[in-house]
Amino acid sequence: MITREQIYLDEKLETKSAVFEFIAQEAEKLGVTVHREQLVQDLWEREKVYSTGLQDQFAIPHTQSEVVTRPAVLVIRLEHSIDWASHDGKPVQYIFSILVPKGSVDVSHLQIISSLATLLLEDSFKEAVAGANSSSDVYHLLEQYTEGLVS
């Protein structure tokens, strides 16, 4: 679900729209989506239901989409935090975007969200992500804290 190539640190994105465009662009490069514009729309549709901004500057934008070819998680740390309409009212700087094909026969979408949401309750994990110096550091953190999420 997560490879080193799917971890992006200190990205200069200034808005939620820019983040969604970046996610779709990178998903297209990685072969995770066949239709970048539709993926952006699907991310926005999900966001309209309920903000994916959690707490402590973390967000988990996600979608189950017909244009997603395989389950993937993109990890993004922004250079500066941005407004996200988060549940705690704080801006977001750390993003775990979950992309899953629509109609997946397994429950990987919910399992991933659950795993990440649980991780984001752990202060030690959040502090480690914030202090990571490289995408390899983040990858190793995910290996340490999760089971089956990294590949």
Side-chain angles (χ1 to χ4, degrees):
M1 298 261 178
I2 301 174
T3 64
R4 284 179 176 83
E5 294 76 32
Q6 293 165 218
I7 301 171
Y8 308 88
L9 300 185
D10 303 323
E11 292 295 325
K12 294 177 172 93
L13 304 168
E14 303 294 328
T15 64
K16 191 187 303 189
S17 279
V19 170
F20 287 178
E21 291 287 341
F22 179 82
I23 290 167
Q25 171 189 309
E26 293 306 309
E28 185 177 61
K29 285 181 191 175
L30 295 163
V32 172
T33 186
V34 293
H35 197 288
R36 184 167 67 186
E37 294 83 10
Q38 183 62 51
L39 182 57
V40 170
Q41 288 179 13
D42 292 344
L43 287 165
W44 276 114
E45 284 303 312
R46 172 56 194 85
E47 195 69 22
K48 288 177 190 173
V49 173
Y50 198 69
S51 177
T52 58
L54 302 176
Q55 62 187 28
D56 300 325
Q57 297 190 303
F58 282 82
I60 305 179
H62 56 279
T63 188
Q64 228 180 351
S65 172
E66 293 177 1
V67 299
V68 172
T69 58
R70 63 178 170 84
V73 177
L74 278 64
V75 179
I76 305 163
R77 181 175 72 192
L78 301 175
E79 185 176 64
H80 302 287
S81 57
I82 61 172
D83 181 48
W84 200 279
S86 298
H87 301 293
D88 66 357
K90 294 180 182 176
V92 163
Q93 189 169 9
Y94 311 100
I95 299 155
F96 290 80
S97 181
I98 304 166
L99 309 173
V100 177
K102 189 167 189 112
S104 290
V105 292
D106 60 23
V107 291
S108 58
H109 184 231
L110 297 174
Q111 289 171 334
I112 297 165
I113 292 171
S114 175
S115 294
L116 287 174
T118 300
L119 268 182
L120 296 180
L121 294 173
E122 295 187 34
D123 289 338
S124 60
F125 177 76
K126 293 184 286 191
E127 290 166 8
V129 169
N133 292 316
S134 69
S135 56
S136 288
D137 289 349
V138 174
Y139 183 84
H140 292 303
L141 278 170
L142 290 166
E143 276 184 320
Q144 176 185 346
Y145 280 88
T146 67
E147 203 174 302
L149 199 55
V150 295
S151 56

